[in-house]
Amino acid sequence: MPTGLKKILYKAISNNLFNNKIVIVTGELSGEIHACNVIKKIKESLNIEFSGIGSNMLEEAGVQIIHDYKNISLTGINEIFPKLKHIWTAFRRIKNHLKHIKPSLVILVDFPGFNMRVAKIAKKYGIPVLYFIPPQIWAWRQGRIKTIKKIIDKVICILPFEKKLYDAYNIDATYVGHPFLNNVKPLLTKEEFINKVAIKSKIPIITLMPGSRNNEIVKHMPILIKTIESIAPHFNKPAILLPLAEGIDQNTVGAFNTGNIQINYLKGLTYEALSYCDVAIIASGSATMEAAILGTPTIVIYKISKLSYIIAKLLVKSKYISLPNIIAGKEIFPEFIQDLDPEKIAEKALYMLNNGTDRIDEELTKIRKELDNMDSYELTKNTIIDFLQKTYGTLS
């Protein structure tokens, strides 16, 4: 479609009355959690029909799910090929859905490899696009910012330095603070938690988080089990906690525990497991930010396919993989990437357990101060409503 015709179509749709339909697209658990919180906030102010790509949590929040992201969520280039059929199906469904219902807005949440393509589809149909938690252009493929300028109407940033990057390209961007700062907190006291999971006499407490995707679990669990086998003999009764991510079955994770290590598998107690442990070993992802906000001494691990790693090394500019280290500009959380040696990971964990973590505690306090204490979901809701009012005028 010629550019001029696209502009005419966009203007025509924008001049129509607001139709109370919003499509939201997520691609993994952390994005879905953010989306659920934003949807709840919006529903307090507007009567909206939400539909889109998500999973159980969004469905429970009243979103009509047109495709479940579980079979399109991936972590590297090599992982794309086995899922190409599912990815193509998801694209076809979202394209047909957008064409059919003509929503007043598309909200994209993280998941850039997929969502940037969804944005192009939406713009083709003249539908306004808002990106909440945009692509990490500061870490890799900064050239994408030119594409963002063309296809994204509004960007909502959660990191303080992101807005400056978008401002430099005259992209409409709003900073709302990191949602975790006000929302990541344990519900139980330490005493309540320890009694609940029956680990009262066990020291130290070690929390393991292998990831929220099946392919992450496959790559990380064997390493974590061997790491614990190296750590355990140094203590009388260590407590090993493993919070299960949404949609991950205990049997899936437990199948890797061939050495019969006593592991406490937990549901719904992730923040407690992080808050009250002595050290955590976590697969890189949103959990590292949760750990930073909760003040948890953490070791970060991650492994992808060899092809994905080679490509990532060529594209990624950042020296670190975990967001706390990127924000700090130095290694606060030790990182073990790709070459995961259980003995070396265990050695680092034992050092942290035996020598204290005062330096880490100081650095994490600095990170929390830098993130700003803001009601991120409320600000995101306000930003979305303000954008809709500017686009459509009166919202019914």
Side-chain angles (χ1 to χ4, degrees), residues 28-137:
E28 36 72 46
L29 180 59
S30 62
E32 186 177 26
I33 292 171
H34 292 311
C36 281
N37 283 288
V38 171
I39 286 170
K40 289 174 185 176
K41 288 286 186 180
I42 292 174
K43 284 187 171 183
E44 291 173 1
S45 301
L46 294 173
N47 180 25
I48 299 292
E49 294 178 29
F50 281 101
S51 59
I53 294 179
S55 195
N56 300 341
M57 292 183 70
L58 278 181
E59 188 171 28
E60 290 173 5
V63 178
Q64 176 196 350
I65 302 300
I66 62 168
H67 192 91
D68 194 309
Y69 66 66
K70 287 177 183 174
N71 54 19
I72 61 171
S73 183
L74 40 87
T75 55
I77 302 296
N78 207 42
E79 285 80 8
I80 290 176
F81 301 110
K83 297 189 175 185
L84 274 175
K85 181 180 177 182
H86 297 295
I87 293 169
W88 172 249
T89 299
F91 273 129
R92 188 178 71 249
R93 286 179 179 172
I94 193 69
K95 181 177 180 179
N96 291 338
H97 186 65
L98 292 175
K99 185 178 181 180
H100 176 67
I101 74 163
K102 296 181 177 62
S104 294
L105 180 67
V106 170
I107 300 175
L108 307 175
V109 185
D110 205 357
F111 202 46
F114 186 89
N115 272 340
M116 288 290 283
R117 289 167 175 79
V118 174
K120 290 179 181 178
I121 295 171
K123 293 301 286 185
K124 178 182 176 181
Y125 294 135
I127 303 167
V129 180
L130 184 147
Y131 213 130
F132 177 45
I133 312 178
Q136 296 177 342
I137 53 173

Side-chain angles (χ1 to χ4, degrees), residues 89-220:
T89 299
F91 273 129
R92 188 178 71 249
R93 286 179 179 172
I94 193 69
K95 181 177 180 179
N96 291 338
H97 186 65
L98 292 175
K99 185 178 181 180
H100 176 67
I101 74 163
K102 296 181 177 62
S104 294
L105 180 67
V106 170
I107 300 175
L108 307 175
V109 185
D110 205 357
F111 202 46
F114 186 89
N115 272 340
M116 288 290 283
R117 289 167 175 79
V118 174
K120 290 179 181 178
I121 295 171
K123 293 301 286 185
K124 178 182 176 181
Y125 294 135
I127 303 167
V129 180
L130 184 147
Y131 213 130
F132 177 45
I133 312 178
Q136 296 177 342
I137 53 173
W138 38 267
W140 67 298
R141 292 181 62 194
Q142 190 164 351
R144 290 179 293 175
I145 198 164
K146 295 177 181 177
T147 304
I148 290 171
K149 186 177 177 67
K150 291 178 182 177
I151 63 175
I152 306 297
D153 298 291
K154 177 78 178 182
V155 172
I156 300 180
C157 308
I158 65 171
L159 298 173
F161 54 81
E162 285 183 318
K163 180 170 166 42
K164 295 177 183 178
L165 290 173
Y166 288 106
D167 286 345
Y169 283 82
N170 294 316
I171 294 171
D172 186 8
T174 298
Y175 170 58
V176 297
H178 202 292
F180 282 174
L181 205 59
N182 274 325
N183 295 281
V184 171
K185 57 189 71 172
L187 296 177
L188 302 179
T189 66
K190 184 172 183 178
E191 184 178 0
E192 288 171 339
F193 173 68
I194 287 174
N195 288 335
K196 184 177 180 68
V197 297
I199 54 171
K200 193 168 185 178
S201 61
K202 296 185 178 181
I203 297 175
I205 300 172
I206 302 170
T207 293
L208 308 178
M209 296 183 70
S212 60
R213 300 176 177 94
N214 281 314
N215 65 326
E216 291 174 328
I217 290 167
V218 169
K219 285 183 168 60
H220 298 143

Side-chain angles (χ1 to χ4, degrees), residues 204 234-235 278-279 346-357:
H234 293 267
F235 302 97
D278 297 292
V279 70
E347 184 180 329
K348 178 62 71 173
L350 287 168
Y351 178 85
M352 293 167 71
L353 289 167
N354 293 325
N355 294 277
T357 56

Side-chain angles (χ1 to χ4, degrees), residues 337-379:
I337 310 303
Q338 201 63 11
D339 182 20
L340 305 184
D341 185 333
E343 290 296 329
K344 290 181 179 179
I345 298 171
E347 184 180 329
K348 178 62 71 173
L350 287 168
Y351 178 85
M352 293 167 71
L353 289 167
N354 293 325
N355 294 277
T357 56
D358 290 345
R359 185 190 67 82
I360 293 177
D361 295 340
E362 291 173 7
E363 295 294 343
L364 294 181
T365 299
K366 292 178 185 177
I367 289 177
R368 290 193 291 272
K369 287 181 180 178
E370 190 172 338
L371 288 175
D372 298 316
N373 190 11
M374 305 163 77
D375 189 343
S376 300
Y377 294 132
E378 180 71 19
L379 290 171

